[in-house]
Coordinates of all heavy atoms in Angstrom, one line a residue:
G231 N 5.4 -2.2 8.5 CA 6.6 -2.3 7.7 C 6.5 -1.9 6.2 O 7.4 -1.2 5.7
I232 N 5.4 -2.2 5.6 CA 5.0 -1.9 4.3 C 5.0 -0.3 4.1 O 5.6 0.2 3.2 CB 3.9 -2.6 3.7 CG1 4.2 -4.1 3.5 CG2 3.4 -2.0 2.4 CD1 2.9 -4.9 3.3
V233 N 4.3 0.2 5.0 CA 4.0 1.7 5.0 C 5.3 2.4 5.2 O 5.6 3.4 4.4 CB 3.0 2.1 6.0 CG1 3.0 3.6 6.1 CG2 1.6 1.6 5.7
K234 N 6.2 2.0 6.1 CA 7.5 2.5 6.3 C 8.4 2.4 5.1 O 9.2 3.4 4.7 CB 8.2 2.0 7.6 CG 7.6 2.3 8.9 CD 7.6 3.8 9.2 CE 8.7 4.2 9.9 NZ 8.7 5.5 10.3
Q235 N 8.4 1.2 4.5 CA 9.2 1.1 3.3 C 8.8 2.0 2.1 O 9.6 2.3 1.3 CB 9.0 -0.4 2.7 CG 9.7 -1.4 3.6 CD 9.5 -2.8 3.1 OE1 8.7 -3.0 2.2 NE2 10.3 -3.7 3.7
H236 N 7.5 2.6 2.2 CA 7.1 3.5 1.2 C 7.1 4.9 1.7 O 6.4 5.8 1.3 CB 5.8 3.1 0.7 CG 5.7 1.9 -0.1 ND1 5.6 0.7 0.4 CD2 5.8 1.7 -1.5 CE1 5.7 -0.3 -0.5 NE2 5.8 0.4 -1.7
N237 N 8.0 5.2 2.7 CA 8.2 6.4 3.3 C 7.0 7.1 3.9 O 6.7 8.3 3.9 CB 8.9 7.5 2.3 CG 10.3 6.9 1.9 OD1 10.9 6.4 2.8 ND2 10.5 7.0 0.6
G238 N 6.1 6.2 4.4 CA 4.8 6.7 5.0 C 4.8 6.4 6.5 O 5.9 6.1 7.1
Y239 N 3.7 6.7 7.1 CA 3.5 6.4 8.6 C 2.2 6.1 8.9 O 1.2 6.4 8.2 CB 4.1 7.5 9.5 CG 3.5 8.8 9.3 CD1 2.4 9.2 10.2 CD2 3.9 9.8 8.3 CE1 1.8 10.6 10.1 CE2 3.3 11.0 8.2 CZ 2.2 11.3 9.1 OH 1.7 12.6 8.9
V240 N 2.0 5.5 10.0 CA 0.6 5.0 10.5 C 0.3 5.7 11.8 O 1.3 5.7 12.8 CB 0.6 3.5 10.6 CG1 -0.8 3.1 11.1 CG2 1.0 2.8 9.4
T241 N -0.8 6.2 12.1 CA -1.2 6.6 13.4 C -2.4 5.8 13.9 O -3.2 5.2 13.1 CB -1.6 8.1 13.4 OG1 -2.8 8.3 12.6 CG2 -0.5 9.1 12.8
V242 N -2.5 5.7 15.2 CA -3.6 5.0 15.8 C -4.1 5.9 16.9 O -3.4 6.5 17.7 CB -3.1 3.7 16.4 CG1 -2.0 3.7 17.4 CG2 -4.3 2.8 16.9
E243 N -5.5 5.9 16.9 CA -6.2 6.7 18.0 C -7.2 5.6 18.6 O -7.9 5.1 17.8 CB -6.9 7.8 17.5 CG -6.1 9.0 16.9 CD -6.9 10.0 16.2 OE1 -8.1 10.1 16.4 OE2 -6.2 10.8 15.4
S244 N -7.2 5.5 19.9 CA -8.0 4.5 20.5 C -8.5 5.0 21.8 O -7.7 5.5 22.6 CB -7.3 3.1 20.6 OG -8.3 2.2 21.1
K245 N -9.7 4.7 22.1 CA -10.3 5.0 23.4 C -11.0 3.8 23.9 O -11.9 3.3 23.1 CB -11.2 6.2 23.4 CG -11.6 6.7 24.7 CD -12.4 8.1 24.6 CE -12.6 8.6 25.9 NZ -13.2 9.9 25.9
K246 N -10.6 3.1 24.9 CA -11.2 1.9 25.5 C -12.7 1.9 25.5 O -13.3 2.9 26.0 CB -10.7 1.6 26.8 CG -10.9 0.1 27.2 CD -10.0 -0.2 28.3 CE -10.4 -1.8 28.7 NZ -9.3 -2.6 28.8
G247 N -13.4 1.0 24.8 CA -14.8 1.0 24.8 C -15.5 1.8 23.7 O -16.7 1.8 23.5
C248 N -14.6 2.6 23.0 CA -15.2 3.6 22.0 C -14.8 3.2 20.6 O -15.3 3.7 19.7 CB -14.9 5.0 22.4 SG -15.6 5.6 23.9
G249 N -13.7 2.4 20.5 CA -13.2 2.1 19.1 C -11.8 2.6 18.8 O -11.2 3.2 19.6
T250 N -11.3 2.2 17.7 CA -10.0 2.5 17.3 C -10.0 3.1 15.8 O -10.7 2.5 15.0 CB -9.1 1.2 17.3 OG1 -9.2 0.8 18.8 CG2 -7.7 1.6 17.0
T251 N -9.1 4.0 15.5 CA -9.0 4.5 14.2 C -7.5 4.4 13.8 O -6.6 5.0 14.6 CB -9.5 6.0 14.1 OG1 -10.8 6.1 14.5 CG2 -9.3 6.5 12.7
F252 N -7.2 3.9 12.7 CA -5.9 3.8 12.1 C -6.0 4.7 10.9 O -6.9 4.7 10.1 CB -5.5 2.4 11.7 CG -5.4 1.5 12.8 CD1 -6.5 0.6 13.3 CD2 -4.1 1.2 13.3 CE1 -6.2 -0.2 14.3 CE2 -4.0 0.3 14.4 CZ -5.0 -0.5 14.8
R253 N -4.9 5.5 10.8 CA -4.7 6.4 9.5 C -3.3 6.0 8.9 O -2.4 5.9 9.7 CB -4.8 7.8 10.0 CG -6.2 8.3 10.4 CD -6.2 9.8 10.4 NE -7.5 10.2 10.7 CZ -8.1 10.4 11.9 NH1 -7.4 10.2 13.0 NH2 -9.4 10.8 12.0
V254 N -3.4 5.8 7.6 CA -2.2 5.5 6.9 C -1.9 6.6 6.1 O -2.7 7.1 5.3 CB -2.3 4.2 6.1 CG1 -1.1 3.9 5.3 CG2 -2.6 3.0 6.9
Y255 N -0.7 7.1 6.1 CA -0.2 8.4 5.3 C 0.9 7.9 4.4 O 1.8 7.4 4.9 CB 0.3 9.4 6.2 CG -0.8 10.0 7.1 CD1 -1.0 9.5 8.4 CD2 -1.7 11.1 6.7 CE1 -2.1 10.0 9.3 CE2 -2.6 11.6 7.5 CZ -2.9 11.0 8.8 OH -3.8 11.5 9.5
L256 N 0.7 8.1 3.1 CA 1.7 7.7 2.1 C 2.1 9.1 1.3 O 1.1 9.9 1.1 CB 1.2 6.7 1.3 CG 1.0 5.4 1.8 CD1 0.3 4.4 0.9 CD2 2.3 4.7 2.3
P257 N 3.3 9.2 0.9 CA 3.7 10.4 0.2 C 3.1 10.4 -1.2 O 2.9 9.4 -1.9 CB 5.2 10.4 0.2 CG 5.5 9.0 0.3 CD 4.4 8.4 1.2
L258 N 2.8 11.6 -1.6 CA 2.5 11.8 -3.1 C 3.5 11.7 -3.9 O 4.8 11.9 -3.5 CB 1.9 13.3 -3.3 CG 0.5 13.6 -2.6 CD1 0.0 15.0 -2.9 CD2 -0.6 12.6 -3.3
T259 N 3.4 11.3 -5.1 CA 4.5 11.3 -6.1 C 4.1 12.0 -7.3 O 2.9 12.2 -7.7 CB 4.7 9.8 -6.5 OG1 5.8 9.7 -7.5 CG2 3.5 9.1 -7.0
G260 N 5.1 12.6 -8.0 CA 4.9 13.4 -9.2 C 4.8 12.6 -10.4 O 4.6 13.0 -11.5
Q261 N 5.1 11.4 -10.4 CA 5.1 10.4 -11.5 C 3.6 10.1 -12.0 O 2.9 9.9 -11.2 CB 5.9 9.2 -11.2 CG 7.3 9.5 -10.9 CD 8.1 8.1 -10.6 OE1 7.4 7.1 -10.2 NE2 9.4 8.2 -10.6
A262 N 3.4 10.0 -13.3 CA 2.1 9.4 -13.8 C 2.1 8.0 -13.5 O 3.2 7.4 -13.4 CB 2.2 9.8 -15.3
P263 N 1.0 7.5 -13.3 CA 0.8 6.0 -13.2 C 1.3 5.3 -14.4 O 1.2 5.8 -15.5 CB -0.7 5.7 -13.1 CG -1.3 7.1 -12.8 CD -0.4 8.2 -13.4
H264 N 2.0 4.1 -14.1 CA 2.5 3.3 -15.1 C 1.4 2.6 -16.0 O 0.4 2.2 -15.4 CB 3.5 2.2 -14.7 CG 4.7 2.7 -14.0 ND1 5.7 3.2 -14.8 CD2 5.0 2.8 -12.8 CE1 6.6 3.6 -14.0 NE2 6.3 3.4 -12.7
E265 N 1.6 2.7 -17.3 CA 0.5 2.1 -18.1 C 0.7 0.5 -18.0 O 1.8 0.0 -18.2 CB 0.7 2.5 -19.5 CG -0.4 2.1 -20.5 CD -0.2 2.7 -21.9 OE1 0.1 3.8 -22.0 OE2 -0.3 1.9 -22.9
K266 N -0.4 -0.2 -17.8 CA -0.3 -1.6 -17.7 C -0.1 -2.2 -19.0 O -0.9 -1.9 -20.0 CB -1.6 -2.3 -17.0 CG -1.6 -2.0 -15.5 CD -2.7 -2.8 -14.9 CE -2.6 -2.7 -13.4 NZ -3.5 -3.6 -12.7
V267 N 0.8 -3.1 -19.1 CA 1.1 -3.8 -20.4 C 0.8 -5.3 -20.2 O 1.2 -5.8 -19.2 CB 2.6 -3.6 -20.8 CG1 2.9 -4.4 -22.1 CG2 3.0 -2.2 -21.0
E268 N 0.0 -5.8 -21.0 CA -0.3 -7.3 -20.9 C 0.9 -8.0 -21.2 O 1.4 -7.9 -22.3 CB -1.5 -7.6 -21.8 CG -2.9 -7.1 -21.4 CD -3.4 -7.7 -20.2 OE1 -3.2 -8.9 -20.0 OE2 -4.0 -7.0 -19.3
K269 N 1.3 -8.8 -20.3 CA 2.5 -9.7 -20.6 C 1.8 -11.1 -21.0 O 0.9 -11.6 -20.3 CB 3.3 -9.9 -19.3 CG 4.0 -8.6 -18.9 CD 4.9 -8.8 -17.8 CE 5.6 -7.5 -17.4 NZ 6.4 -7.7 -16.2
P270 N 2.4 -11.8 -21.9 CA 2.0 -13.1 -22.2 C 2.2 -14.1 -21.1 O 3.2 -14.0 -20.4 CB 2.9 -13.5 -23.5 CG 4.0 -12.7 -23.4 CD 3.6 -11.3 -22.7
T271 N 1.2 -14.8 -20.8 CA 1.3 -15.8 -19.7 C 1.6 -17.1 -20.3 O 1.3 -17.6 -21.3 CB 0.0 -15.9 -18.9 OG1 -1.1 -16.3 -19.8 CG2 -0.4 -14.6 -18.3
L272 N 2.6 -17.7 -19.5 CA 3.1 -19.1 -19.9 C 2.3 -20.1 -19.1 O 1.9 -19.8 -17.9 CB 4.6 -19.3 -19.7 CG 5.5 -18.3 -20.4 CD1 6.9 -18.4 -20.0 CD2 5.4 -18.6 -21.9
P273 N 2.0 -21.2 -19.6 CA 1.3 -22.2 -18.8 C 2.2 -22.6 -17.6 O 3.4 -22.7 -17.7 CB 1.0 -23.4 -19.7 CG 2.0 -23.2 -20.9 CD 2.3 -21.7 -21.0
A274 N 1.5 -22.7 -16.4 CA 2.3 -23.1 -15.3 C 2.8 -24.5 -15.4 O 2.1 -25.4 -15.9 CB 1.4 -22.9 -14.0
K275 N 4.0 -24.7 -15.0 CA 4.6 -26.1 -15.0 C 3.9 -26.9 -13.9 O 3.8 -26.4 -12.8 CB 6.1 -26.0 -14.7 CG 6.7 -27.4 -14.7 CD 8.3 -27.3 -14.4 CE 8.7 -28.6 -14.3 NZ 10.1 -28.7 -13.6
M276 N 3.3 -28.0 -14.2 CA 2.6 -28.8 -13.3 C 3.7 -29.7 -12.5 O 4.6 -30.2 -13.0 CB 1.6 -29.8 -14.0 CG 0.6 -28.9 -14.8 SD -0.2 -27.7 -13.8 CE -1.6 -28.7 -13.2
G277 N 3.4 -29.8 -11.2 CA 4.3 -30.5 -10.4 C 4.2 -32.0 -10.5 O 3.4 -32.5 -11.2

């Protein structure tokens, strides 16, 4: 579901007794990675 939501797909190859291979394909994007900005953290409200 997560891969499909990101316009990708998953393939599976399996042979009984020999193992299984999963491949996840996600599309490339032309956007530069977002710069991480430190957000101030508020103390968690205790229950």
Side-chain angles (χ1 to χ4, degrees):
I232 291 169
V233 170
K234 290 300 267 182
Q235 286 176 351
H236 290 86
N237 298 318
Y239 61 97
V240 181
T241 64
V242 59
E243 296 171 16
S244 186
K245 192 169 188 179
K246 195 165 179 130
C248 293
T250 302
T251 302
F252 290 91
R253 288 189 175 91
V254 176
Y255 296 90
L256 296 169
L258 289 175
T259 178
Q261 297 177 339
H264 293 285
E265 190 176 309
K266 284 193 174 185
V267 177
E268 289 288 327
K269 293 182 181 178
T271 57
L272 300 173
K275 180 182 173 193
M276 299 306 268

